[in-house]
Amino acid sequence: MAVVSRCSRAATAATTANATTATTFTYLIRSLSPFSSSSSTFDPQNDLNNRNKPAVLGTLKRESKGRNVQWVFLGCPGVGKGTYASRLSNLLGVPHIATGDLVRDELASSGPLSSQLKEIVTQGKLVSDEIIIDLLSKRLEAGEAKGESGFILDGFPRTVRQAEILEGVTDIDLVINLKLREEALLAKCLGRRICSECGGNYNVACINIKAENGRPGMYMAPLPPPPQCASKLITRPDDTEEVVKQRLRIYQAMTRPVEDFYRSRGKLLEFDLPGGIPESWPKLLCALNLEDREDKQSAAA
């Protein structure tokens, strides 16, 4: 399979119609009942309290042949798509492909797209479909050459056209839409830090929102760096209040329709983050009917 040529053909076809490909599933995901056939919503505050309620997703059954899961993470900038996609990547043994990382790698490479991307990113604009598809195609092609199977996409698709192109290339099993209240989103984005040496991602923000007007409180602890990285932290150039707010406005206008695209196809699982990783991770696993045994063992130690 030539991934680049497939993406190119799909990009052309997406302007007129959606295309799908039949594929053997490694993980068979049952209906999203008891919710509507168009989408599922998992409310951690309520759904976990009713132990007699059926799980949001049925059992994930591993088959001996075929491909691995092909999932997509949606959500506003800074919601934590990369964090949870990376954890699921490790748990399920599939590559986590973040288009934001692909863009940053291209920026650092000083390649032909570097200067063009720098201007786009610092202004908080969306990178064009053509650039993103080119970068993603190269990444998928390289992964295929290494024998990778399946993926968890983070940051793509961001527009309906991109979703149509992706659907013409492969069959997405599930789209997980992470949701977080806006005041927490803004604080998280402004608190993000990167180690200039190892590239590790951390967050210095301590978010403590009090309960009021019937809304539950929320606490998200900082994610501090290890001692060897503490003096090497830098802020992403696009993590300023003005740019973050602009990214959120762009998301509302352009990316929310992508949610409707997948909702109409019965592939959208909406998950409201109740807090930081300690609160949200086990509840997300419950929503997906998965179990992280290593996490349980470390918690019991």
Side-chain angles (χ1 to χ4, degrees):
M1 176 188 74
V3 179
V4 175
S5 61
R6 286 178 62 188
C7 284
S8 299
R9 289 197 299 270
T12 302
T15 60
T16 56
N18 293 334
T20 56
T21 56
T23 312
T24 302
F25 282 49
T26 295
Y27 289 89
L28 302 179
I29 303 177
R30 295 197 215 130
S31 170
L32 294 176
S33 59
F35 304 102
S36 69
S37 60
S38 59
S39 68
S40 298
T41 301
F42 185 82
D43 181 357
Q45 303 297 334
N46 299 318
D47 291 348
L48 291 177
N49 294 328
N50 187 354
R51 296 186 179 276
N52 295 321
K53 188 174 184 178
V56 174
L57 296 179
T59 302
L60 298 176
K61 180 182 178 182
R62 184 66 184 261
E63 297 291 324
S64 59
K65 295 182 180 180
R67 62 163 171 79
N68 224 317
V69 299
Q70 295 186 172
W71 288 356
V72 167
F73 265 84
L74 295 182
C76 288
V79 75
K81 298 186 295 294
T83 297
Y84 295 102
S86 179
R87 283 179 164 240
L88 285 171
S89 168
N90 293 330
L91 184 65
L92 298 174
V94 297
H96 166 216
I97 302 176
T99 53
D101 289 342
L102 298 181
V103 170
R104 284 185 283 275
D105 289 344
E106 186 67 26
L107 279 167
S109 71
S110 299
L113 291 176
S114 181
S115 59
Q116 183 181 354
L117 285 171
K118 183 176 182 181
E119 182 179 354
I120 294 171
V121 170
T122 53
Q123 293 178 4
K125 297 179 180 178
L126 286 179
V127 180
S128 71
D129 290 350
E130 289 73 20
I131 293 175
I132 289 294
I133 291 165
D134 181 53
L135 295 176
L136 181 58
S137 295
K138 291 176 181 176
R139 171 61 183 85
L140 291 175
E141 191 174 50
E144 185 183 31
K146 294 189 295 184
E148 289 180 352
S149 174
F151 53 76
I152 297 178
L153 285 182
D154 158 19
F156 185 92
R158 287 190 173 184
T159 66
V160 171
R161 181 173 180 267
Q162 289 179 355
E164 290 171 341
I165 292 169
L166 185 61
E167 190 156 297
V169 174
T170 189
D171 190 10
I172 297 300
D173 307 330
L174 180 68
V175 178
I176 303 163
N177 185 29
L178 296 183
K179 303 172 77 174
L180 184 65
R181 51 213 294 183
E182 188 169 334
E183 60 264 45
L185 270 173
L186 183 59
K188 277 193 67 181
C189 288
L190 297 180
R192 289 195 293 196
R193 299 292 185 271
I194 302 172
C195 176
S196 59
E197 187 170 291
C198 72
N201 291 281
Y202 309 101
N203 203 298
V204 299
C206 181
I207 301 170
N208 191 2
I209 301 173
K210 295 182 180 180
E212 59 179 1
N213 300 325
R215 299 184 70 187
M218 175 179 289
Y219 177 76
M220 302 180 77
L223 299 174
Q228 65 270 23
C229 296
S231 63
K232 305 179 183 68
L233 296 185
I234 59 173
T235 303
R236 280 172 38 173
D238 55 328
D239 276 347
T240 65
E241 185 170 354
E242 180 181 354
V243 171
V244 169
K245 288 183 176 179
Q246 173 68 2
R247 288 207 306 266
L248 293 177
R249 285 192 293 267
I250 291 174
Y251 182 87
Q252 296 286 346
M254 297 187 67
T255 315
R256 283 293 174 88
V258 178
E259 299 173 12
D260 296 332
F261 177 89
Y262 286 114
R263 184 179 291 113
S264 68
R265 286 157 175 77
K267 295 182 178 182
L268 189 72
L269 171 66
E270 300 192 271
F271 183 82
D272 289 289
L273 292 164
I277 294 174
E279 298 83 14
S280 299
W281 175 240
K283 293 174 182 178
L284 178 60
L285 291 178
C286 180
L288 296 169
N289 215 26
L290 294 172
E291 184 177 280
D292 187 348
R293 293 177 181 174
E294 290 186 5
D295 193 56
K296 282 188 174 183
Q297 289 172 355
S298 63

